Amino acid sequence: METAARPNGAAASKDSNDIPPLQYRVVAKCSVTKARVGVMSVRHADVDTPVFMPVGTQGTLKGVLPEQLLALDCRIMLGNTYHLGMRPGTTVLEKAGGLHSFMGWPRALLTDSGGFQMVSLLQLAEITEQGVRFQSPYDGSECMLTPERSMEIQNAIGADIMMQLDDVVKTTTTGPRVEEAMHRTIRWLDRSIGAHGRDDDQSIFPIVQGGLQPDLRRVCASELTKRNTRGFAVGGLSGGESKDDFWRTVHLCTDLLPEDKPRYLMGVGFAADLVVCVALGVDMFDCVFPTRTARFGCALTRAGQINLKQRTFAKDMRPIEDDCDCSTCRTYTRAYLHHIVTVEPVACSIVSVHNVAFQLRLMSDMRDAIREDRFPEFVKSYMAVRFPDDTVPQWIRDALAAVNVNL
């Protein structure tokens, strides 16, 4: 049974600040795989896990209103520290009372540290022991993001969960730079913990780094778990590595992290990947994919992604998915969406609502299957629909076999 959302997404009572700002408990485990169901209670919501978290980079989910997310029973979403720190900045966020109030979102928020954007988006980024030096894309001025500054911005944002600033290297990087980044990430965690000014309301998650090298991942996880944090993230994946390397690294990291704390796999959002990684023991996911692909006219279904721009849908009077009860599928046909996608701005919103609903329903279906101890059967059924005629990729077969599910 899902935990009930707090009325209007209301925050927990602040009468007693001796209640930790994040409590996590495992309520069901799969008897075959590493999948589990948990409840993560933060100040603004009780979040059932495994959970997919939509990404609202600038403090808004592109094309979706907060009330639409509430109607979908979304309990937690992401904001981006780098973008929000640059604009509107901490002065405005503090004056607004934090991002929850500023954007009108009453439930839980998670913010990333900004490190990934520094490296992936900026041409002029230089990483030193002090932090990441970069040129502002807004006015060209030179800026420095340090672990301390990242914490300052995230404290102003007021997210329930904050990510430490980590030293991000491209996933496929090899050589001494990977080990240097891993050790620096540990040192930056200690600086982040020292700079964190609101531990009564917000929780830091460290990020396990180490590239595709198992020994480095083991060292990093061993060091990070010595710190008294309330959850952990696995970073440095979904960046171009092979799927074989991807699942093996996830499998290793969930084995290394504590059973009694949530495990967050950063930047993963393809449906088949979610199913595999839940089986491997991951509790939390995020990705821009559902809303980004909607802006290109693509909708998500259990059988895979469909491109509504294709003429094959011009006379298709079915909803995107027959068994989906989101407002999009209750109201619009594929033919109508074909008529407006990429032409009318509202199409982005209509398809985005469905795509987010699809991700949230997939997670809910997995939670139900785990609670009822039929998760392996769910996985087999899902893969048979997603990859008909025995076309399941070998990496998925290998990953699931590692947790005793043989397709």
Side-chain angles (χ1 to χ4, degrees):
M1 183 178 177
E2 301 281 78
T3 59
R6 295 174 183 156
N8 301 315
S13 169
K14 296 292 185 69
D15 292 345
S16 175
N17 262 0
D18 57 355
I19 299 174
L22 188 152
Q23 296 175 290
Y24 177 75
R25 68 183 190 277
V26 177
V27 297
K29 290 183 178 181
C30 174
S31 61
V32 175
T33 70
K34 292 157 63 176
R36 74 257 189 94
V37 170
V39 179
M40 181 175 67
S41 298
V42 296
R43 292 287 187 244
H44 290 87
D46 293 320
V47 180
D48 295 303
T49 65
V51 64
F52 177 81
M53 303 177 288
V55 178
T57 303
Q58 304 273 10
T60 179
L61 196 64
K62 286 184 173 66
V64 184
L65 296 170
E67 49 263 43
Q68 291 175 303
L69 281 177
L70 291 174
L72 295 174
D73 197 26
C74 177
R75 307 284 180 91
I76 182 169
M77 65 177 290
L78 260 70
N80 184 283
T81 296
Y82 159 69
H83 289 291
L84 292 167
M86 297 296 296
R87 186 176 62 91
T90 54
T91 301
V92 172
L93 287 166
E94 287 170 348
K95 187 172 183 179
L99 185 57
H100 287 94
S101 299
F102 191 51
M103 66 178 286
W105 175 246
R107 293 187 179 171
L109 283 170
L110 182 151
T111 41
D112 60 10
S113 65
F116 176 78
Q117 284 70 34
M118 298 292 94
V119 176
S120 66
L121 300 182
L122 300 172
Q123 300 296 318
L124 302 173
E126 176 192 4
I127 301 173
T128 67
E129 188 62 29
Q130 184 183 359
V132 184
R133 188 181 306 280
F134 63 99
Q135 190 176 59
S136 168
Y138 297 103
D139 62 10
S141 62
E142 188 173 276
C143 305
M144 170 68 81
L145 184 69
T146 65
E148 293 79 9
R149 176 59 178 159
S150 178
M151 285 293 103
E152 181 184 354
I153 298 168
Q154 293 188 80
N155 283 156
I157 291 170
D160 300 87
I161 299 171
M162 313 182 297
M163 307 310 298
Q164 72 153 115
L165 183 65
D166 53 339
D167 185 354
V168 180
V169 296
K170 187 172 172 56
T171 307
T172 51
T173 302
T174 57
R177 178 70 181 97
V178 181
E179 183 169 6
E180 175 192 49
M182 181 273 291
H183 285 296
R184 181 173 287 146
T185 293
I186 297 167
R187 294 192 296 271
W188 282 4
L189 171 62
D190 290 333
R191 287 170 59 185
S192 298
I193 292 171
H196 181 20
R198 297 182 58 188
D199 192 53
D200 288 343
D201 289 316
Q202 300 175 267
S203 299
I204 297 176
F205 278 22
I207 303 173
V208 179
Q209 291 288 2
L212 304 176
Q213 301 180 41
D215 289 347
L216 296 185
R217 291 279 179 174
R218 289 188 182 93
V219 170
C220 192
S222 175
E223 285 300 315
L224 297 184
T225 52
K226 293 175 183 176
R227 278 68 172 173
N228 185 27
T229 60
R230 303 181 184 105
F232 295 89
V234 176
L237 294 174
S238 291
E241 75 280 3
S242 73
K243 285 293 192 178
D244 199 55
D245 286 331
F246 166 77
W247 81 258
R248 292 180 190 279
T249 303
V250 173
H251 188 32
L252 171 66
C253 289
T254 55
D255 278 346
L256 297 172
L257 293 173
E259 278 270 321
D260 61 345
K261 295 182 179 181
R263 307 159 181 160
Y264 166 30
L265 179 58
M266 305 178 75
V268 170
F270 293 154
D273 294 6
L274 297 177
V275 174
V276 170
C277 291
V278 165
L280 296 176
V282 175
D283 305 303
M284 302 165 64
F285 305 87
D286 81 282
C287 192
V288 298
F289 169 68
T291 47
R292 177 175 289 168
T293 200
R295 295 197 292 279
F296 292 98
C298 295
L300 306 180
T301 77
R302 285 291 172 99
Q305 181 172 294
I306 61 173
N307 185 343
L308 292 164
K309 291 178 292 185
Q310 294 178 346
R311 290 200 56 79
T312 183
F313 299 113
K315 297 179 181 180
D316 191 336
M317 297 303 165
R318 294 174 297 167
I320 295 172
E321 281 201 300
D322 289 324
D323 61 347
C324 179
D325 65 354
C326 76
S327 60
T328 298
C329 289
R330 291 198 311 267
T331 310
Y332 304 107
T333 65
R334 294 178 176 190
Y336 175 71
L337 295 172
H338 167 78
H339 171 63
I340 65 171
V341 290
T342 72
V343 178
E344 300 295 339
V346 73
C348 163
S349 175
I350 293 171
V351 181
S352 290
V353 167
H354 167 77
N355 284 357
V356 172
F358 172 87
Q359 299 285 94
L360 299 182
R361 184 163 61 106
L362 175 61
M363 305 311 291
S364 177
D365 288 349
M366 284 195 278
R367 292 193 297 266
D368 288 345
I370 296 164
R371 286 190 195 92
E372 296 164 13
D373 205 14
R374 53 177 179 81
F375 183 64
E377 290 73 24
F378 172 89
V379 171
K380 292 176 182 178
S381 174
Y382 173 85
M383 294 300 172
V385 172
R386 178 63 185 85
F387 302 104
D389 303 321
D390 205 30
T391 57
V392 179
Q394 189 61 43
W395 77 268
I396 291 180
R397 294 181 183 275
D398 293 342
L400 292 173
V403 285
N404 310 306
V405 177
N406 295 299
L407 300 179

